Amino acid sequence: MDTPPSPSPVSSPGGGGGEDCCVKVAVHVRPLIADEKAQGCKDCVTVVPGKPQVQIGTHSFTFDHVYGSTGSPSTAMFEECVAPLVDGLFQGYNATVLAYGQTGSGKTYTMGTGFKDGYQAGIIPQVMSVLFGKIETLKHQTEFQLHVSFIEILKEEVRDLLDPSCLHKAESPNGHSGKVNLPGKPPIQIRESSNGVITLAGSTEVTVGSFKEMAAYLEQGSLSRATGSTNMNNQSSRSHAIFTITVEQMRKTNPLFAGDGSPNDGMNDEYLCAKLHLVDLAGSERAKRTGSDGLRFKEGIHINKGLLALGNVISALGDEKKRKEGLHVPYRDSKLTRLLQDSLGGNSRTCMIACISPADINAEETLNTLKYANRARNIQNKPIVNRDPMSSEMLKMRQQLEYLQAELCARGGFSSDEVQVLKERIAWLEATNEDLCRELHVYRSRCAAVDPREIDAQDICSVKGEGLKRSLCSLEASDYQMVETVQSDAREIDEEVAKEWEHTLLQSTMDKELHELNRRLEEKESEMKLVGGFDTAALKQHFGKKIMEMEDEKRVVQQERDRLLAEIAILSAGSDGHAQKLQDAHSQKLKTLETQILDLKKKQESQVQLLKQKHKSDEAAKKLQEEIQSIKAQKVQLQHRMKQEAEQFRQWKASREKELLQLRKEGRRNEYERHKLQAINQRQKMVLQRKTEEAAVATKRLKELLEGRKSSPRDNGLSNGHVTNGQSNEKSLHRWLDHELEVMVNIHEVRFEYEKQSQVRTALGEELAVLRQVDELASKGITPPKGKNGFARATSMSPNARMSRIASLESMLSISSNSLVAMASQLSEAEERERSLTSRGRWNQLRSMGEAKSLLQHMFHSLGDARCQMWEKDMEIKEIKEQFKELVNLLRQSETRRKEIEKELRLREQAVAIALATAASVGLISKHS
Ligand code: ADP
Ligand code: MG
């Protein structure tokens, strides 16, 4: 015993007590999950083999351990990180295991908080099994008592997950109602005892005696906590869950004052109590800045209050300078940090497990997680063995005794009487202590026995949440529809053109022929009109009648003549003067009659002549009529032929088109697809490259801004606090403010680009996933379901086209991925800077009212400027909108006009067709008649 034992009651004879011990930090890289693979995510996290080092982009971090990926296997995590802490429990050391990381990074998986049906892989189930295994081996010499509690912190409210009254509520399908405590039940409060121990007043602490029992409580609690899915919006991603196991132990064998007097003999410990907190933290992701959902944003800030405070606590504790200055650690800023006060920088052995996703889309959060976790490595804890106060007192006395004995030996002697008295006194004290301890233990067990709760093993169905469904971004959709030009074969076109030309030529010659026929027909018809202009039959009748009349007249005249001749003969026989006179009169009369007859004869002759002529013209008309008929027949024939030809051509054209379609569908189509795809690929790539370049410029600028100049006005051209010139001071303050604002705008820009790029990436990823799926199915000879989104297009592609599209998508994805990681890196830096500024206080730099006023003035001007500019832009936008509206109207009008014209055209075509058809049928009819 060379060194005097420490007088501190916290020192443990077993060693390790009160020792400085850093928070251990392990990283757990989970594999890419199905959802990420489906999106075509790239693994952007590298683990340096054989070293606990993680690289992402240009950043590199070192931890105590790295599991998963190319690091140590995840199965080694428990043995290396948690088993020592469980061992420590038996020595009386508190311990904490914290799982940190964004939602979906594997916290619950790693911790095993979502315990189900004896699932053994997580840390908590392994802790339980090791714990009970150890207890089994030690139970003959030590009495153990285990308690568990399971709480959740949601929106700065502590919920008791083992509260039996909440059990029934957890059955409700949304899994949310469980969070409300019964109205009669007082809310759970965090209390701090006089010796600085934090306790939860009002939470259920149940005694457990077996693995099975503890597992049942874990299951019950996790059911009441979560909906069991990784949906971003579910409760489990927004709340912190703390499963606490308290181990109390009482050594059964207790040799009074061990003979060998060894202070290292563990048997001297009477009562030890240690707590193990197993913490599944809320998702560490930042609330989306661009989210339009204001409520979620608020909630996001709210639930992150614990993580924010935890970050600040870690920062305060991790900064050696600050720690030495005795800077205030803001434990009281949140319920979480208050509850974990001992775990961070206090009486606990603590291990943090930073869970990360390797996917490029999560690069920013992964970086944030790694930075956060890296800082935690600097935290120094001071774990101590937790004894019962009485045991501590006894130990103290024992140590005192040892010390005195040593002293005694050294001095060479008290009187044996004195020693005897002292020894007796010690023995008495120890006996009393022993009694008291026992009593205490009895009370404790009684106390615990009062509250054995039954577990209703109920079938509470966990609501399986659906995975996050990404909505396809329409950003590049237009690109897919472009380039509809058909790249047909040139020869084909020639052939087609020739055929078409031939057709039109034929049609035009026939048209000419028809025209000629029509002309001739017209001629003949007009001729005919000239010839047969009057009714021949009527004429004939008329002439016939006329001739008959004349004949009659002639006969009458001849009779008259004959009568007169006879009279003359009678008269001449009588031969008298009177008779002579009568004879003369008769002769006169006869003469006129003769001329009359002659006249009539002439007339009759001319009539006969006329009739003859009429007959001739009749002949000519008949001939003409015949000619007309033949022309008409020719015309009909021609029209018929024309129709036939047109029909043939139409048929040929239709079959040609069908053939072409078929060709396109098959062999030639590939060519066409290839051209089209090439154009799409090239354009998309160009657009992507342009976007990436823009993003790179913004990112570079942000990097320069973040690195180049410091964020404090004092660092910006001012001698440290020593202000000589008021004006230059003001100027530099203004410059600083401008710089700050520029940083802000730049962050916004990069963030904007980042969101855009993510959307592009998602769209590319989804297309790639579909193509790969189709490709895989096709290789197995299965036709993929066409109904599914995007499948029809992918299926109709030729295998070659699909391959080239896949290759192109992959290359674009990798460009996008790199750009995303680069942006994420700067955004994470900016976030870091913002955090440090917030905690330090952006305005702490201002030292006088004058400075503040000047800065305010400057800010006022800046803001005024910005508002005016905004107003102007608003006006511009309004004008542009007006113009746009007008253009849209114009477009609409022209569209309706176009439709009208098209309709008209159609009608005309129909009319022409009808006219043609009727002309043909008329021709036929007239031919038949
Ligand atoms: P968190 O609790 O951080 O939100 P989860 O633990 O719910 O994340 O994990 C998200 C998804 O990833 C789950 O489907 C889970 O099964 C899976 N997962 C997490 N870690 C791993 C891992 N190491 N190996 C395989 N799958 C994992
Ligand atoms: Mg979880």
Side-chain angles (χ1 to χ4, degrees):
M1 295 294 109
D2 295 329
T3 49
S6 156
S8 158
V10 294
S11 162
S12 153
E19 87 265 56
D20 275 0
C21 119
C22 280
V23 169
K24 294 268 182 297
V25 179
V27 171
H28 192 195
V29 192
R30 70 155 164 72
L32 283 172
I33 54 176
D35 192 32
E36 288 167 343
K37 279 188 196 151
Q39 287 175 57
C41 286
K42 298 241 175 298
D43 186 332
C44 69
V45 171
T46 316
V47 180
V48 181
K51 277 192 193 165
Q53 218 178 67
V54 181
Q55 284 171 349
I56 173 166
T58 52
H59 302 256
S60 180
F61 303 88
T62 304
F63 295 92
D64 295 298
H65 304 277
V66 178
Y67 301 101
S69 185
T70 48
S72 315
S74 307
T75 43
M77 188 190 320
F78 180 79
E79 207 45 48
E80 289 172 0
C81 299
V82 188
L85 304 186
V86 178
D87 281 344
L89 287 179
F90 290 89
Q91 295 157 21
Y93 289 106
N94 290 340
T96 307
V97 181
L98 290 160
Y100 181 88
Q102 83 179 103
T103 299
S105 60
K107 298 180 298 294
T108 303
Y109 181 94
T110 305
M111 291 307 288
T113 324
F115 186 81
K116 244 184 257 147
D117 305 326
Y119 181 66
Q120 304 274 311
I123 283 172
I124 303 182
Q126 289 187 75
V127 164
M128 296 192 311
S129 102
V130 167
L131 200 64
F132 284 102
K134 233 177 151 79
I135 286 172
E136 195 58 34
T137 60
L138 291 174
K139 69 177 178 195
H140 60 277
Q141 56 187 23
T142 311
E143 225 178 83
F144 287 97
Q145 214 159 66
L146 298 181
H147 313 281
V148 290
S149 71
F150 200 0
I151 59 132
E152 173 180 59
I153 306 173
L154 179 70
K155 298 184 194 171
E156 283 302 279
E157 219 174 86
V158 182
R159 262 188 72 203
D160 186 356
L161 294 177
L162 297 184
D163 184 350
S165 58
C166 284
L167 237 186
H168 311 287
K169 298 199 160 195
E171 286 172 332
S172 67
N174 62 16
H176 270 262
S177 51
K179 73 180 171 198
V180 190
N181 283 327
L182 285 183
K185 202 167 161 18
I188 297 169
Q189 281 180 338
I190 302 170
R191 298 231 177 98
E192 191 171 344
S193 69
S194 56
N195 56 353
V197 176
I198 305 283
T199 52
L200 275 175
S203 80
T204 310
E205 200 175 27
V206 288
T207 309
V208 287
S210 67
F211 178 94
K212 234 175 117 184
E213 240 179 296
M214 200 187 266
Y217 281 116
L218 178 63
E219 193 168 352
Q220 176 196 327
S222 54
L223 274 177
S224 124
R225 180 193 184 204
T227 51
S229 81
T230 48
N231 188 328
M232 271 295 256
N233 291 324
N234 82 14
Q235 197 176 327
S236 80
S237 73
R238 290 176 288 145
S239 71
H240 314 287
I242 307 179
F243 186 72
T244 306
I245 304 173
T246 310
V247 183
E248 282 182 283
Q249 47 186 317
M250 179 76 152
R251 303 283 152 103
K252 280 177 188 165
T253 51
N254 180 33
L256 273 176
F257 205 50
D260 58 15
S262 162
N264 290 332
D265 188 348
M267 286 301 173
N268 293 336
D269 291 344
E270 300 302 337
Y271 169 82
L272 291 175
C273 172
K275 275 178 199 273
L276 173 62
H277 291 304
L278 297 151
V279 189
D280 183 354
L281 290 168
S284 61
E285 60 275 357
R286 303 283 183 276
K288 278 244 184 296
R289 253 141 283 249
T290 49
S292 54
D293 187 349
L295 191 75
R296 202 177 60 208
F297 184 49
K298 197 174 151 221
E299 199 170 55
I301 292 173
H302 202 63
I303 57 124
N304 273 334
K305 194 173 173 184
L307 287 179
L308 199 70
L310 186 66
N312 292 336
V313 165
I314 290 174
S315 280
L317 290 168
D319 191 326
E320 203 173 342
K321 209 175 102 202
K322 283 182 196 165
R323 204 171 52 228
K324 281 199 177 130
E325 282 168 5
L327 199 101
H328 163 73
V329 182
Y331 289 116
R332 285 176 172 266
D333 282 3
S334 76
K335 296 246 159 87
L336 178 74
T337 42
R338 279 214 77 191
L339 278 173
L340 296 179
Q341 185 161 338
D342 263 342
S343 307
L344 299 159
N347 173 21
S348 170
R349 292 168 162 183
T350 297
C351 177
M352 180 190 254
I353 297 167
C355 299
I356 59 170
S357 146
D360 51 9
I361 43 165
N362 294 322
E364 192 189 350
E365 289 309 334
T366 300
L367 264 167
N368 287 342
T369 298
L370 292 175
K371 282 180 190 165
Y372 197 100
N374 210 241
R375 228 177 295 130
R377 288 188 77 207
N378 298 330
I379 300 175
Q380 299 249 315
N381 280 358
K382 290 190 183 344
I384 54 168
V385 172
N386 300 295
R387 290 192 175 81
D388 179 65
M390 210 89 72
S391 301
S392 302
E393 185 70 14
M394 199 174 75
L395 190 75
K396 199 163 125 191
M397 286 195 292
R398 203 179 279 146
Q399 281 166 348
Q400 222 168 357
L401 173 70
E402 278 159 17
Y403 174 68
L404 287 172
Q405 276 180 332
E407 186 105 323
L408 194 67
C409 290
R411 290 210 188 147
F414 278 104
S415 71
S416 60
D417 277 359
E418 266 176 294
V419 173
Q420 195 53 44
V421 168
L422 276 172
K423 269 191 176 165
E424 267 167 20
R425 196 171 150 66
I426 287 166
W428 178 80
L429 275 171
E430 284 198 341
T432 317
N433 189 25
E434 178 84 353
D435 285 346
L436 283 172
C437 269
R438 230 167 250 140
E439 224 171 295
L440 183 70
H441 194 69
V442 168
Y443 280 130
R444 274 221 176 90
S445 21
R446 238 185 252 163
C447 204
V450 165
D451 201 2
R453 296 187 188 207
E454 290 275 318
I455 310 155
D456 264 9
Q458 307 197 35
D459 282 339
I460 301 164
C461 291
S462 70
V463 180
K464 286 216 170 142
E466 282 186 311
L468 275 177
K469 293 228 162 133
R470 281 162 216 285
S471 58
L472 180 79
C473 99
S474 59
L475 201 68
E476 296 297 297
S478 58
D479 290 342
Y480 298 117
Q481 286 147 17
M482 57 167 196
V483 203
E484 291 294 336
T485 51
V486 182
Q487 311 244 336
S488 281
D489 212 347
R491 258 180 302 135
E492 243 166 66
I493 290 175
D494 283 354
E495 212 174 280
E496 202 169 316
V497 166
K499 188 96 186 182
E500 212 147 329
W501 196 69
E502 195 187 313
H503 168 71
T504 36
L505 211 67
L506 205 68
Q507 286 282 358
S508 85
T509 46
M510 284 196 202
D511 267 344
K512 259 188 218 155
E513 236 174 283
L514 187 67
H515 199 71
E516 178 63 25
L517 278 174
N518 275 339
R519 198 186 55 74
R520 269 173 59 202
L521 193 65
E522 240 166 65
E523 227 174 66
K524 294 285 168 192
E525 270 171 350
S526 63
E527 223 175 290
M528 178 82 186
K529 228 178 248 167
L530 274 180
V531 174
F534 30 84
D535 195 342
T536 45
L539 211 73
K540 217 171 172 176
Q541 210 182 4
H542 169 79
F543 278 109
K545 212 172 150 190
K546 262 267 178 355
I547 288 169
M548 260 329 219
E549 271 171 23
M550 279 184 212
E551 208 78 45
D552 283 351
E553 215 175 310
K554 202 169 100 185
R555 215 170 27 248
V556 171
V557 172
Q558 272 173 346
Q559 276 174 3
E560 178 89 359
R561 188 193 63 178
D562 287 348
R563 192 185 57 85
L564 280 177
L565 277 175
E567 239 175 78
I568 290 169
I570 294 164
L571 278 175
S572 46
S575 64
D576 82 24
H578 177 68
Q580 190 62 35
K581 243 175 129 184
L582 213 66
Q583 207 179 357
D584 283 351
H586 275 271
S587 293
Q588 202 65 28
K589 213 173 178 178
L590 251 170
K591 259 182 196 159
T592 41
L593 278 174
E594 282 296 345
T595 45
Q596 242 180 352
I597 288 168
L598 225 73
D599 215 27
L600 274 170
K601 259 186 184 161
K602 256 186 203 159
K603 262 189 187 168
Q604 206 175 7
E605 249 162 53
S606 90
Q607 287 287 351
V608 169
Q609 204 63 35
L610 257 173
L611 260 174
K612 260 187 194 158
Q613 226 169 8
K614 159 83 181 52
H615 188 70
K616 252 191 195 162
S617 91
D618 268 2
E619 288 283 295
K622 209 175 154 197
K623 225 173 117 191
L624 259 177
Q625 192 66 39
E626 268 167 15
E627 261 177 83
I628 286 172
Q629 282 306 339
S630 109
I631 290 175
K632 273 190 179 165
Q634 272 181 45
K635 189 179 151 185
V636 167
Q637 243 177 6
L638 185 67
Q639 278 173 338
H640 189 67
R641 253 171 60 209
M642 272 170 91
K643 238 172 127 181
Q644 247 178 353
E645 213 277 337
E647 175 63 19
Q648 263 174 10
F649 180 72
R650 198 190 58 74
Q651 272 177 4
W652 171 81
K653 192 144 184 157
S655 77
R656 180 86 198 97
E657 254 154 34
K658 215 167 147 191
E659 201 180 319
L660 241 156
L661 215 75
Q662 197 62 27
L663 277 175
R664 219 178 277 161
K665 256 189 197 153
E666 287 155 19
R668 300 228 181 269
R669 183 164 177 146
N670 299 348
E671 186 115 338
Y672 159 80
E673 283 280 350
R674 200 166 54 80
H675 281 301
K676 195 171 140 188
L677 257 174
Q678 249 174 14
I680 292 174
N681 286 346
Q682 255 164 20
R683 231 205 88 177
Q684 275 191 325
K685 213 168 200 166
M686 256 161 59
V687 169
L688 182 73
Q689 245 147 13
R690 187 169 45 72
K691 278 210 181 99
T692 315
E693 271 158 29
E694 277 168 16
V697 169
T699 315
K700 193 166 159 249
R701 176 91 192 103
L702 181 58
K703 192 175 157 120
E704 281 165 6
L705 281 172
L706 292 177
E707 280 172 358
R709 291 157 83 179
K710 297 287 186 295
S711 52
S712 145
R714 313 285 158 197
D715 305 329
N716 223 359
L718 277 182
S719 53
N720 199 13
H722 186 70
V723 187
T724 46
N725 185 336
Q727 265 197 331
S728 82
N729 179 29
E730 276 183 14
K731 276 238 171 71
S732 71
L733 269 175
H734 295 178
R735 267 206 308 276
W736 165 77
L737 188 75
D738 290 340
H739 175 256
E740 285 297 289
L741 288 173
E742 202 185 340
V743 171
M744 202 177 103
V745 172
N746 208 263
I747 291 172
H748 186 78
E749 191 185 339
V750 175
R751 169 80 51 197
F752 186 81
E753 295 286 351
Y754 184 80
E755 301 292 342
K756 270 239 163 98
Q757 188 70 257
S758 315
Q759 283 174 356
V760 170
R761 210 208 144 292
T762 311
L764 292 175
E766 272 166 10
E767 196 190 337
L768 183 63
V770 169
L771 282 175
R772 280 202 181 131
Q773 225 171 313
V774 169
D775 204 45
E776 200 179 311
L777 288 176
S779 70
K780 287 180 195 156
I782 307 167
T783 335
K786 294 231 177 183
K788 248 172 146 181
N789 208 7
F791 266 75
R793 225 175 72 89
T795 318
S796 65
M797 271 178 162
S798 72
N800 273 341
R802 220 182 291 131
M803 286 310 286
S804 88
R805 180 72 183 152
I806 285 176
S808 161
L809 279 173
E810 273 171 349
S811 105
M812 281 194 279
L813 262 176
S814 119
I815 292 173
S816 183
S817 183
N818 289 341
S819 162
L820 272 176
V821 172
M823 279 192 271
S825 161
Q826 285 320 307
L827 284 174
S828 160
E829 291 293 325
E831 193 97 38
E832 183 91 0
R833 178 182 186 275
E834 191 59 28
R835 206 197 345 255
S836 79
L837 271 178
T838 315
S839 66
R840 224 194 310 164
R842 203 187 285 276
W843 311 110
N844 279 356
Q845 348 246 4
L846 297 182
R847 298 189 179 158
S848 70
M849 200 56 155
E851 278 183 3
K853 274 184 181 166
S854 155
L855 206 60
L856 200 61
Q857 187 67 25
H858 182 67
M859 212 187 261
F860 180 75
H861 282 311
S862 267
L863 184 66
D865 268 0
R867 289 233 171 132
C868 288
Q869 272 181 23
M870 205 157 84
W871 182 85
E872 278 166 22
K873 293 269 181 253
D874 270 354
M875 290 316 283
E876 261 175 55
I877 287 171
K878 251 184 213 157
E879 267 170 37
I880 290 169
K881 268 189 185 160
E882 285 296 318
Q883 283 174 5
F884 180 69
K885 242 191 225 162
E886 268 172 38
L887 284 174
V888 166
N889 270 343
L890 272 175
L891 192 70
R892 268 202 206 119
Q893 278 169 14
S894 71
E895 188 68 12
T896 45
R897 182 86 196 97
R898 189 179 64 83
K899 271 184 193 152
E900 275 168 19
I901 288 171
E902 269 178 3
K903 204 168 149 191
E904 215 171 292
L905 212 69
R906 256 204 310 279
L907 283 177
R908 264 189 215 173
E909 271 170 11
Q910 275 172 6
V912 167
I914 289 168
L916 256 173
T918 44
S921 60
V922 164
L924 277 172
I925 289 164
S926 59
K927 194 186 171 191
H928 280 297
S929 64

